[in-house]
Amino acid sequence: MTLHLAGAAWVLPLAAVLLALSGLISLYRLLRGPSRPDRAVAIDALTLLAVAAMALLCLMRGEALFIDVAVLLALVSFLGTAAFAFLFDDAHSQMPEKREERP
């Protein structure tokens, strides 16, 4: 099945440039993030950008070769994000709780 996209000559390269720019911004946050949750969000953003890049590559080449890989990467990214959420939730649950004093 062949798919013809209107404006593909300029829209797809523009999308690729914007994905690359987003990847550089996320990479900067990963390297310079002030906290661990910032870095975890940057890793999640980078994996989602990789999924989007694979889908864009499929559109540019007209082949559905990388769609399965993109879906698998999205699933693994979801599991990683859930693991990070449990990790950070456990770190906060070990903090001493503040007690409210009643008058």
Side-chain angles (χ1 to χ4, degrees):
M1 181 169 110
T2 303
L3 179 67
H4 179 70
L5 297 173
W10 65 274
V11 171
L12 295 179
L14 178 66
V17 168
L18 291 176
L19 278 174
L21 182 64
S22 298
L24 288 174
I25 292 170
S26 296
L27 188 62
Y28 174 78
R29 180 52 52 201
L30 176 66
L31 297 174
R32 302 278 300 183
S35 65
R36 292 186 327 170
D38 288 334
R39 289 186 171 106
V41 169
I43 289 172
D44 189 41
L46 284 172
T47 55
L48 291 177
L49 286 171
V51 169
M54 287 181 197
L56 186 64
L57 182 64
C58 288
L59 285 174
M60 286 179 153
R61 297 182 78 192
E63 299 175 2
L65 181 65
F66 291 111
I67 292 294
D68 296 333
V69 176
V71 169
L72 184 65
L73 182 60
L75 289 172
V76 170
S77 173
F78 169 73
L79 293 174
T81 302
F84 276 126
F86 284 123
L87 175 73
F88 296 137
D89 184 46
D90 186 46
H92 291 293
S93 67
Q94 293 177 358
M95 298 176 81
E97 295 181 16
K98 294 181 182 177
R99 294 183 182 179
E100 294 182 20
E101 295 182 17
R102 296 184 182 180

